[in-house]
């Protein structure tokens, strides 16, 4: 079971993405409207993937991810962004972001995110402990 947290002040930007993700029986989707609320939920555990809008009422999506790594670095993250590939890479370097999404991601992006998450988590469990 995958636990996803979508963070958006305006859910309409993620409506198509959420619709596709909610159709999967192996996903539980919850929402947060602010970065602060998302960080509180992440600190409590129970989140596998956090997907954030570019701008939130209290911070940017990249600021949220920067703070997320200090709260729970094991949560994978995706960010909607209008930045060019080069600018996004520069701004997000070192944050461990799994994916950059368009500002209004669709159903296909949801399938892609979950596929990447499954691959990453599968690789993590395949690595033997020393």
């Amino acid at each position: 079971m995958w636990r996803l947290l979508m963070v958006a002040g305006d859910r309409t930007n993620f409506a198509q993405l959420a619709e596709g993700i909610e159709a999967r029986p192996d996903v539980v989707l919850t929402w947060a409207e602010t970065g602060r609320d998302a960080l509180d939920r992440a600190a409590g555990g129970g989140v596998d993937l956090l997907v954030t809008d570019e701008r939130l009422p209290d911070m940017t999506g990249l600021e949220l991810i920067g703070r997320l790594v200090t709260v729970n670095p094991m949560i994978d993250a995706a960010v909607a962004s209008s930045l060019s590939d080069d600018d996004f890479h520069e701004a997000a370097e070192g944050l461990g972001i799994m994916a950059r999404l368009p500002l209004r991601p669709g159903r296909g992006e949801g399938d892609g995110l979950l596929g990447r998450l499954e691959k990453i988590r599968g690789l993590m469990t395949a690595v033997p402990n020393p």
Side-chain angles (χ1 to χ4, degrees), residues 10-81:
D10 178 4
R11 292 184 185 189
T12 59
N13 290 341
F14 287 166
Q16 292 294 314
L17 178 65
E19 185 178 294
I21 287 173
E22 288 179 316
R24 292 187 49 154
D26 60 339
V27 176
V28 174
L29 176 64
T30 57
W31 290 87
E33 292 184 9
T34 66
R36 178 79 259 152
D37 185 26
L39 290 169
D40 289 344
R41 291 175 190 222
V47 176
D48 296 304
L49 174 64
L50 184 143
V51 179
T52 182
D53 208 349
E54 182 174 49
R55 298 194 186 285
L56 304 169
D58 56 347
M59 63 184 76
T60 69
L62 288 174
E63 288 171 332
L64 169 58
I65 302 308
R67 294 178 188 182
L68 177 67
V69 248
T70 65
V71 171
N72 189 336
M74 296 307 294
I75 296 175
D76 287 296
V79 180
S81 177

